[in-house]
Amino acid sequence: MTEAAHYRVFDTAIGRCGIAWRSGLVVSTALPGEGDAATVRHLIRRNPGAAEAEPDGPAADAIALVQRLLDGEAVDLRAIPVDLDSCPDFERQIYALLREVPTGATVTYGELAARAGAPGAARAVGMAMGRNPVPIIVPCHRVLASSGRSGGFSAPGGVTTKFRILQIEQAGRGGDAMLFDSLPLAIKA
């Protein structure tokens, strides 16, 4: 019998996020949505039977790191242990490659597909991003369309949330200017 998951909703600079963990591994996360009840529903839907608990060990460490990242600190979230065993092989491979993309950097769907040895599988990468069980820890917000456009973002808040996190990370594209340098000041603020 599998141990039941636990969850907690916590404060960040972009709103209340959620985390669920089991056996010392993070099994899902949730970006801010339409209130705590919606966040809890999301976590329980992914982890039936999950119960609210005080985080300790890796879960507490994960919360602290996510809070620091969303406060604008360039932290490395790769140390957070995640359970991706229920994900298909291709998705696990994509998530592992994406975890190597540092804070403040971006990658395209096509580049991730090529790194996985599957050039031309950009759509499959996009589908994997939409099914990412641990957004922010597996930083799907760092994936852009090849045209430099946002691509999609299925987390609550959609592309607005994606750009907000990228702005906090001061994201750029390689040697290019910051992603937001060409936007009006009202949007940059």
Side-chain angles (χ1 to χ4, degrees):
M1 187 162 115
T2 304
E3 175 188 342
H6 295 93
Y7 70 86
R8 173 64 75 182
V9 177
F10 59 97
D11 292 316
T12 74
I14 66 168
R16 307 251 309 147
C17 291
I19 186 170
W21 68 94
R22 177 187 310 111
S23 302
L25 300 172
V26 175
V27 294
S28 62
T29 56
L31 292 171
E34 295 183 14
D36 286 2
T39 300
V40 169
R41 279 193 304 276
H42 170 82
L43 294 169
I44 290 175
R45 186 174 46 251
R46 284 192 173 269
N47 306 282
E52 186 171 18
E54 187 65 35
D56 60 1
D61 295 344
I63 289 170
L65 285 170
V66 168
Q67 289 171 323
R68 288 172 50 201
L69 177 81
L70 294 175
D71 278 341
E73 193 175 328
V75 298
D76 185 351
L77 302 182
R78 291 179 297 176
I80 298 172
V82 295
D83 180 358
L84 300 172
D85 288 346
S86 64
C87 300
D89 290 342
F90 179 75
E91 290 179 10
R92 277 197 315 272
Q93 181 182 14
I94 292 298
Y95 300 151
L97 291 167
L98 184 52
R99 288 190 87 185
E100 297 299 318
V101 176
T103 302
T106 59
V107 64
T108 67
Y109 296 97
E111 288 168 344
L112 271 179
R115 290 178 190 179
R123 286 183 190 261
V125 170
M127 291 173 62
M129 296 302 101
R131 289 192 287 264
N132 178 4
V134 286
I136 206 93
I137 296 172
V138 170
C140 51
H141 61 279
R142 295 180 187 153
V143 184
L144 303 173
S146 61
S147 62
R149 292 181 187 233
S150 67
F153 198 62
S154 61
V159 174
T160 301
T161 298
K162 181 176 190 167
F163 279 148
R164 190 167 179 201
I165 298 168
L166 288 171
Q167 187 175 23
I168 288 168
E169 292 185 357
Q170 300 180 1
R173 297 236 345 116
D176 295 344
M178 302 304 291
L179 286 175
F180 303 99
D181 283 350
S182 64
L183 297 178
L185 290 175
I187 296 173
K188 288 179 168 182

